[in-house]
Amino acid sequence: GCLIYVSGSFIVFYSPKLDEQVAYLRHSSNLITAITVSSDEKMMAVADRAKPPTVSVYSIQNLESLRGTAEKPMHVLKGHKHSVDLLAFSPNNKYILSLSNHDGSMFLWEKGECLTKNRVSKTVARAVFDRNGDLVTVGRGYLKVWKFNGGDVSRRKEEECWI
């Protein structure tokens, strides 16, 4: 496996085993605000601070081809008005969540299309899908479980807790 990190507008793939950089991708000239990799390590989603902000989904199956070229994304997701802070793939890698704490917007995407939009009322520190495919958002003093049902996301349960 590779370690993936951001350096300016580049995404760098580093192999600890080889002790060297094995690939890099120039995303854009905009600041990268969030990045996530699918559980099967075949896709990567990258959010930037473009006007308007975008989330680009890349195939990363063939790292040898990622040598600084301006790789064309599989999908470019548009809809947020403010920068995206959090990204997450669902366990089956079919869906992508994008979330902006600035305006509380939360989008769920499938194959480049927005399935649903929702809002969060508190700042989210982490968003993940659980093994059942439900979405869990966590912030200071709370945890929310969102039921995901065929393209619709609704708040199922909110638990106040100390984190």
Side-chain angles (χ1 to χ4, degrees):
C2 285
L3 297 174
I4 300 173
Y5 63 92
V6 174
S7 179
S9 60
F10 285 88
I11 298 142
V12 181
F13 299 81
Y14 175 81
S15 169
K17 184 177 179 180
L18 299 173
D19 192 25
E20 68 181 31
Q21 174 183 310
V22 293
Y24 60 97
L25 176 117
R26 179 173 168 78
H27 170 64
S28 74
S29 60
N30 297 302
L31 177 67
I32 294 171
T33 59
I35 187 169
T36 191
V37 176
S38 61
S39 62
D40 61 6
E41 298 180 354
K42 293 181 178 179
M43 295 179 290
M44 174 178 64
V46 180
D48 64 35
R49 205 173 262 168
K51 302 269 189 224
T54 60
V55 175
S56 299
V57 183
Y58 295 98
S59 170
I60 57 172
Q61 292 183 73
N62 184 9
L63 287 180
E64 291 77 35
S65 69
L66 301 177
R67 292 287 182 180
T69 59
E71 183 75 13
K72 186 172 170 66
M74 297 165 41
H75 304 289
V76 177
L77 314 177
K78 296 181 180 180
H80 284 280
K81 293 183 176 138
H82 299 281
S83 64
V84 173
D85 302 299
L86 299 166
L87 294 168
F89 278 96
S90 64
N92 63 5
N93 301 313
K94 187 175 178 180
Y95 307 104
I96 298 172
L97 168 88
S98 59
L99 188 143
S100 170
N101 278 314
H102 184 79
D103 62 4
S105 62
M106 182 171 70
F107 289 69
L108 193 65
W109 309 87
E110 179 184 21
K111 295 182 182 172
E113 299 295 321
C114 180
L115 292 178
T116 188
K117 295 187 266 185
N118 213 314
R119 301 198 72 69
V120 293
S121 58
K122 297 179 182 178
T123 300
V124 177
R126 183 91 165 112
V128 295
F129 287 91
D130 68 14
R131 69 182 101 161
N132 299 320
D134 290 337
L135 176 65
V136 179
T137 56
V138 180
R140 186 178 180 111
Y142 79 94
L143 175 135
K144 286 185 187 179
V145 179
W146 304 76
K147 184 71 178 166
F148 176 56
N149 186 5
D152 186 32
V153 177
S154 59
R155 187 174 68 192
R156 182 176 76 188
K157 182 173 148 185
E158 181 174 348
E159 297 288 335
E160 292 295 327
C161 59
W162 294 101
I163 298 176

